[in-house]
Amino acid sequence: MGSSAYSPLDQFIQANPHRKIGTGRKNHEGPHNAEDETGGPQLCWLTVKIISMRNLRKADLLSQTDCYIKLWLPTASCREARTRTVRNSRNPVWNETFHFMIQSEVKNILELTVYDKDTFTPDDQLLTVHFDVAKIQPGEKVHLNFELNPEDQEELEVEFLLENIPGVSENIITNGVLVSREVSCLKVHVDERKMKSPYTRRDFTFTVKGSHEETQDISLNPCCIWGSSETTTFHYIKHSQPRLHMTLPKERFFCGCSSARREMDASSPLAVPLHSLDLGEKVTVMRGESYEVAVKEEDGCKNLDLRLGFDLCAEEQDFICKRKKVVAAALKNVLQLDEDLQEDEQVPVVAVMTTAGGVRSMTAMFGSLLALQELGVLDCTSYISGLSATTWTMAKLYEDANWSQKDLRGPIGDIKEHVIKSKLRCFSLDHMKYYEKELCERKQEGHKVSFTDLWGLFIDCMIHHQASTHKLSDQQLAVNQGQNPLPIYLSLNVKDDFSTLDFKEWVEFTPYEVGFLKYGAFVRSEDFGSEFFMGHLMKKIPESRICFLEGAWSNIFSQNFMDAVYLSGHSDDFWHKWTQGTKCDIEEHPALPKNPHDQTTYLSIPKGRLSNTLQEMMTGRPVVSTYHNFLKGLQLHNKYLENERFCMWKDTVLDSSPNQLNEMGDYLKLVDTAFFINTSCPPILRPERKVDVILHLNYSGGSQTRPLDLFSKYCLEHGIPFPGTELSQEDREHLKECYVFEDNLEAPVLAYFPLVCDTFQKYKAPNVERSPTEMEQGRVDVSNCIAPYGTGLLTYSEENFNKLLNLCSYNILNNKHLILQALRTAVERKKRLKNCSSPQFSKLA
């Protein structure tokens, strides 16, 4: 990227006659349904000249700073550029020029980091300027002074020049938040020229930084005959100015990548700038005495293997159409309607959502679903969402493709047998050998194995007589005719060195897709866990069994210290004070015109080593579940912060820092949602699902209102339509079995069921009082998370299992009138909405 390594614009165009003109942008909602637009996104040449600094701060008290500056623009190159070091100067001058090729539709944030060079210790990072390149207009040369510290008159002087590259554009696919760019495939061929020694093996290492493969090894074995060859492949962003780094066997060779061939000795890695070659044809870049290295660039993958879009996938839309027929008939029956509901306009979408609570929540959910089935309301439901241990209930039920059409007492009897059984059998020698074998096979398949995989196998052992082979995609059979509600499982993606409060991203799992609510990026459920780059499937890895996903969804080992502080209800401001760097907006002179999507220039000063150590201690998680990152390589759109769907779910400290938000991490790190908010509601509130009624089944321990309060506050802060959930102090102290909230016409009707033992103490069924001998069966202590229903308790007595099951079933049955009220309200809303949108109404209005 420095002036010594990269050609200016005119030289680049002359050196790349094979570059093809792109056809434009695609707005993507699926692997095959994007449409071309005219006026393709432009590739530009950005020239950055680092001129000087004035009144530079000291890194220490002993001497002036030995200063250099690093330039990092990750959307253009994965490598940092840097100036030379100016020693012992308060006013260093560089006048060094650097060049970057950028895509105008991508959010390009240039980071200029000032360092103090140290001899015996790591270099000190003094400050970083974050500058949005979108502020520079094509054809414009801008000379800027960044005010780093107005009081001390500390300034950084930089010159920018942005030029369109004529005749070169790029095919991109975008949903307005993420951008998939063109991918090239580099074939590296190593050919044997002559036998050097029958016993000499020649080992080659090739690296293309920023590519999917990153590093590849090739060996020419001693037993190979003359004329043999080996080939390896790299996939990378086509217009990213890549370099091929080569570590070669030590022997005499000729460098063939320049016009003047030089005889050299490969004693250290060599780098070949690929953008300077015409790779349309096979090009020899290195020739030794016994081998030759050649490269050739080909077009990469065409269609995306993930879906960029916020709409529901075609399979889920088809499911909803089929499910509405079932729901319409069920609603007519339970509401005793005189007329059939029109499926397209009058049938409300009803969702059941649950909260976490270990075996308590798994058992309680069975009781709730049993009662909903008895009332006929289960057939009125289109979605069931779960997290943590309620995913165990869901996964168990969806092993049967017609479970909701059968009496649930069957699977309840089966799960009771497992709950009351000792779990020591799961630690038997035979089981331990089985776990080891499964984990070894999983690792060989290409998955990254962690302790949560062992936990998933343990869960499988707890609730099955024998190992289950079911996968998430297998559940498509349970919804392909609309015969059951669609299951949605929820998890959080987190980052190292951040508390869950500071960084978390909702990830939903359905039998059809796995994806991010915030980014609008989804992959087929059978492809989750495989390796992706820029939205293309690079390496297919066998789909995980659902028990391994259960280990991720209910990962009780992922809590860190900061999460515990948050969940305890205490403020974590004190810890933030000691673990966060400083960040402030700064001025540049002259002031540049502002566009709505341009980010403000800001200055960040890193935290010290002590704060780094403290943050690692506070935010370190014992275990996270790790899966290959299917977002790898994708970049953020220039206007991503204006996208309504992104703004609806953005809530991390990095959302306005695209370089850090979208780092090309190889892995997703998934944790239990309950360590942030104990709710599975977010995917239910996606506007595209148009949910009209939510049956909120709360199974949390301790406060029964805290999860609802936290999520209500979350929705209010993010502008997500949600009903007001205010409860009186008397209600908070003496909770009833059900509350209906319907004050917001833009939000679903919410029927909220706290886990309480209210009238169940006196009634064994609605309006059926207990006899004196039955009173003991009504005493169920669910007021806290301690025994007999503690969250960490894995085994219940048969009596306690039956009590909890009957309690949750009773609470649903005893509030039939409130459930029907919520359903009737939703139907009436749909009718009013239809009447308001009718042509006759519009004419009258």
Side-chain angles (χ1 to χ4, degrees):
M1 288 172 289
S3 56
S4 61
Y6 281 81
S7 307
L9 175 60
D10 53 349
Q11 293 184 23
F12 171 82
I13 297 172
Q14 293 174 10
N16 292 269
H18 66 289
R19 298 288 183 184
K20 297 179 181 179
I21 297 178
T23 57
R25 173 178 58 187
K26 298 180 181 180
N27 286 325
H28 199 56
E29 281 292 349
H32 306 291
N33 65 343
E35 296 182 0
D36 289 345
E37 293 185 355
T38 59
Q42 184 67 50
L43 286 163
C44 301
W45 195 266
L46 174 67
T47 301
V48 182
K49 184 178 182 180
I50 306 296
I51 300 174
S52 65
M53 289 192 72
R54 286 184 288 276
N55 301 313
L56 175 62
R57 67 192 68 189
K58 289 184 178 182
D60 53 61
L61 299 176
L62 300 178
S63 64
Q64 293 290 345
T65 303
D66 298 329
C67 182
Y68 67 90
I69 296 179
K70 280 188 177 180
L71 299 85
W72 188 43
L73 187 55
T75 50
S77 174
C78 64
R79 293 177 292 109
E80 292 179 317
R82 59 165 289 179
T83 66
R84 69 183 186 280
T85 301
V86 177
R87 298 192 176 277
N88 197 31
S89 175
R90 193 161 183 248
N91 300 289
V93 176
W94 290 281
N95 287 317
E96 293 188 51
T97 302
F98 303 86
H99 304 279
F100 304 88
M101 186 189 298
I102 64 171
Q103 167 56 252
S104 60
E105 292 263 327
V106 166
K107 177 57 73 176
N108 298 292
I109 302 293
L110 175 64
E111 296 187 15
L112 304 172
T113 304
V114 180
Y115 285 88
D116 174 41
K117 180 70 175 177
D118 289 328
T119 304
F120 302 108
T121 59
D123 296 349
D124 294 317
Q125 181 180 335
L126 302 184
L127 56 90
T128 301
V129 175
H130 304 257
F131 179 74
D132 190 345
V133 175
K135 293 183 176 183
I136 308 297
Q137 299 303 311
E140 182 179 29
K141 180 181 285 188
V142 179
H143 193 108
L144 294 178
N145 289 320
F146 296 102
E147 290 190 352
L148 308 179
N149 187 341
E151 292 183 3
D152 296 335
Q153 296 183 332
E154 182 183 32
E155 290 185 342
L156 170 62
E157 186 179 4
V158 184
E159 185 178 85
F160 297 91
L161 172 63
L162 190 65
E163 301 171 275
N164 288 331
I165 303 178
V168 181
S169 61
E170 181 179 19
N171 290 321
I172 68 169
I173 299 174
T174 181
N175 62 356
V177 174
L178 291 177
V179 175
S180 173
R181 300 181 59 183
E182 282 190 70
V183 172
S184 286
C185 176
L186 183 73
K187 301 285 187 180
V188 181
H189 307 270
V190 180
D191 296 297
E192 185 99 42
R193 297 181 63 221
K194 66 179 181 179
M195 182 75 72
K196 182 177 181 181
S197 169
Y199 306 103
T200 301
R201 191 179 85 169
R202 287 166 296 286
D203 296 323
F204 302 78
T205 299
F206 300 99
T207 300
V208 178
K209 293 182 178 179
S211 68
H212 168 69
E213 294 79 6
E214 193 72 19
T215 298
Q216 300 273 48
D217 295 321
I218 287 181
S219 294
L220 295 181
N221 295 317
C223 58
C224 290
I225 62 171
W226 183 88
S228 64
S229 65
E230 295 288 342
T231 302
T232 192
T233 303
F234 294 93
H235 293 86
Y236 52 87
I237 300 174
K238 184 173 184 178
H239 301 285
S240 62
Q241 301 174 287
R243 284 189 168 196
L244 175 65
H245 296 261
M246 302 180 289
T247 302
L248 308 169
K250 287 188 177 182
E251 64 174 83
R252 310 295 288 182
F253 67 89
F254 294 91
C255 178
C257 59
S258 63
S259 57
R261 297 195 174 190
R262 294 175 296 152
E263 190 175 0
M264 306 171 67
D265 182 52
S267 56
S268 61
L270 303 171
V272 179
L274 298 177
H275 75 279
S276 64
L277 305 177
D278 182 358
L279 298 178
E281 302 294 334
K282 187 174 180 180
V283 178
T284 298
V285 296
M286 204 64 63
R287 179 170 294 162
E289 294 179 0
S290 61
Y291 62 83
E292 181 178 88
V293 179
V295 296
K296 186 177 187 299
E297 184 184 65
E298 301 175 355
D299 288 336
C301 312
K302 297 296 183 182
N303 294 318
L304 292 190
D305 298 301
L306 60 69
R307 185 173 65 88
L308 288 180
F310 292 90
D311 285 347
L312 303 180
C313 66
E315 294 83 357
E316 184 172 340
Q317 293 181 41
D318 180 63
F319 160 80
I320 284 295
C321 290
K322 294 176 179 176
R323 184 65 182 172
K324 279 191 174 182
K325 298 184 188 326
V326 178
V327 172
L331 281 172
K332 182 180 180 181
N333 183 41
V334 299
L335 297 180
Q336 299 180 354
L337 302 176
D338 296 330
E339 298 179 354
D340 292 339
L341 295 174
Q342 300 300 314
E343 295 165 12
D344 292 338
E345 299 173 341
Q346 295 181 343
V347 179
V349 177
V350 182
V352 170
M353 62 139 293
T354 60
T355 64
V359 173
R360 177 184 64 246
S361 63
M362 178 185 73
T363 304
M365 187 177 181
F366 272 109
S368 299
L369 292 177
L370 177 64
L372 291 174
Q373 185 184 58
E374 185 174 332
L375 294 178
V377 174
L378 189 56
D379 283 339
C380 301
T381 303
S382 295
Y383 293 102
I384 297 179
S385 69
L387 76 162
S388 199
T390 57
T391 65
W392 307 351
T393 304
M394 295 164 63
K396 181 80 171 175
L397 288 172
Y398 280 87
E399 291 175 3
D400 186 339
N402 297 288
W403 68 268
S404 68
Q405 309 305 313
K406 300 177 181 178
D407 190 343
L408 282 178
R409 290 180 179 83
I412 287 173
D414 180 64
I415 202 66
K416 178 169 73 170
E417 182 180 343
H418 292 288
V419 170
I420 66 176
K421 190 182 299 182
S422 171
K423 304 305 180 289
L424 291 178
R425 65 186 180 88
C426 298
F427 297 98
S428 68
L429 182 59
D430 287 343
H431 276 97
M432 298 305 289
K433 289 180 179 179
Y434 163 72
Y435 299 156
E436 183 181 17
K437 173 178 171 291
E438 288 295 310
L439 295 179
C440 287
E441 289 182 0
R442 183 168 173 77
K443 185 175 182 180
Q444 291 172 359
E445 289 175 346
H447 294 283
K448 189 174 176 64
V449 175
S450 70
F451 182 78
T452 54
D453 295 311
L454 179 60
W455 169 238
L457 290 170
F458 181 79
I459 295 170
D460 189 42
C461 177
M462 282 199 305
I463 61 178
H464 288 93
H465 293 288
Q466 58 185 12
S468 171
T469 59
H470 283 267
K471 300 179 177 67
L472 181 60
S473 62
D474 293 338
Q475 295 182 6
Q476 294 175 17
L477 294 175
V479 292
N480 60 0
Q481 300 302 317
Q483 69 269 43
N484 299 303
L486 184 75
I488 307 175
Y489 307 87
L490 188 63
S491 185
L492 286 177
N493 180 51
V494 297
K495 280 186 182 289
D496 292 335
D497 298 331
F498 287 92
S499 70
T500 308
L501 184 61
D502 282 339
F503 188 95
K504 69 278 178 184
E505 297 173 330
W506 303 107
V507 185
E508 70 169 36
F509 297 72
T510 76
Y512 300 123
E513 289 187 320
V514 178
F516 284 83
L517 275 62
K518 182 166 74 173
Y519 299 114
F522 301 86
V523 293
R524 291 178 285 266
S525 56
E526 54 266 36
D527 290 336
F528 178 70
S530 294
E531 295 184 23
F532 282 77
F533 180 73
M534 199 56 76
H536 303 288
L537 182 61
M538 294 287 107
K539 180 181 179 182
K540 174 63 179 173
I541 294 176
E543 182 183 358
S544 295
R545 288 163 46 196
I546 202 165
C547 68
F548 294 116
L549 296 178
E550 289 174 317
W553 298 331
S554 58
N555 183 2
I556 61 174
F557 310 102
S558 59
Q559 187 178 24
N560 61 29
F561 179 83
M562 296 290 276
D563 295 340
V565 171
Y566 171 69
L567 292 173
S568 68
H570 295 83
S571 172
D572 57 358
D573 292 342
F574 172 80
W575 302 105
H576 275 173
K577 177 181 178 181
W578 293 101
T579 60
Q580 300 297 311
T582 59
K583 176 180 173 180
C584 62
D585 295 344
I586 61 173
E587 299 288 339
E588 66 257 345
H589 294 285
L592 298 174
K594 292 184 179 179
N595 296 311
H597 60 275
D598 291 346
Q599 291 197 21
T600 303
T601 303
Y602 70 91
L603 176 72
S604 63
I605 300 176
K607 52 187 178 291
R609 292 188 178 92
L610 178 60
S611 295
N612 274 325
T613 302
L614 183 61
Q615 183 176 23
E616 290 175 3
M617 293 171 56
M618 298 298 102
T619 60
R621 295 179 175 86
V623 179
V624 295
S625 188
T626 307
Y627 286 86
H628 290 288
N629 181 13
F630 58 84
L631 300 184
K632 182 178 179 181
L634 296 171
Q635 298 180 349
L636 288 165
H637 190 270
N638 191 32
K639 299 180 182 179
Y640 78 99
L641 282 173
E642 296 180 36
N643 187 282
E644 291 182 3
R645 291 294 179 262
F646 180 87
C647 293
M648 182 176 182
W649 300 110
K650 75 179 182 73
D651 60 348
T652 84
V653 296
L654 298 182
D655 283 332
S656 297
S657 303
N659 290 353
Q660 287 73 37
L661 179 64
N662 200 38
E663 287 179 326
M664 288 180 55
D666 289 331
Y667 297 100
L668 302 176
K669 297 185 176 180
L670 304 181
V671 301
D672 194 325
T673 307
F675 290 137
F676 171 51
I677 298 178
N678 192 357
T679 180
S680 61
C681 209
I684 296 300
L685 292 179
R686 280 180 59 188
E688 298 77 19
R689 291 201 164 107
K690 302 177 182 178
V691 171
D692 300 289
V693 179
I694 299 176
L695 304 181
H696 186 306
L697 309 179
N698 191 73
Y699 308 130
S700 62
S703 171
Q704 290 297 298
T705 59
R706 180 169 168 78
L708 182 62
D709 292 340
L710 289 175
F711 191 67
S712 296
K713 179 182 177 183
Y714 180 92
C715 290
L716 181 63
E717 291 173 347
H718 291 79
I720 301 172
F722 198 71
T725 58
E726 291 297 322
L727 293 173
S728 67
Q729 188 60 35
E730 181 180 353
D731 272 333
R732 289 182 178 276
E733 294 175 358
H734 305 284
L735 283 170
K736 299 174 185 177
E737 298 156 350
C738 181
Y739 296 88
V740 174
F741 305 101
E742 50 178 284
D743 63 335
N744 187 347
L745 294 178
E746 296 181 355
V749 178
L750 179 68
Y752 175 61
F753 289 85
L755 181 60
V756 295
C757 186
D758 187 12
T759 60
F760 183 68
Q761 299 175 66
K762 296 181 180 179
Y763 295 86
K764 63 181 180 181
N767 301 317
V768 180
E769 293 191 24
R770 294 185 183 277
S771 66
T773 59
E774 295 172 325
M775 295 302 290
E776 179 60 30
Q777 299 303 313
R779 298 189 179 95
V780 187
D781 184 8
V782 290
S783 61
N784 56 55
C785 52
I786 308 175
Y789 300 106
T791 303
L793 195 63
L794 300 178
T795 303
Y796 291 174
S797 67
E798 184 173 1
E799 180 184 12
N800 285 336
F801 178 91
N802 290 334
K803 281 183 178 181
L804 181 60
L805 185 85
N806 293 334
L807 167 65
C808 294
S809 180
Y810 169 86
N811 283 351
I812 296 289
L813 296 174
N814 195 46
N815 291 278
K816 173 182 178 181
H817 63 292
L818 291 178
I819 297 174
L820 298 185
Q821 171 192 321
L823 296 176
R824 191 170 285 109
T825 298
V827 170
E828 290 172 355
R829 283 187 181 181
K830 301 286 280 189
K831 287 183 177 179
R832 286 200 300 270
L833 183 63
K834 179 186 178 184
N835 292 335
C836 290
S837 60
S838 66
Q840 294 85 350
F841 182 87
S842 300
K843 185 176 181 180
L844 290 173

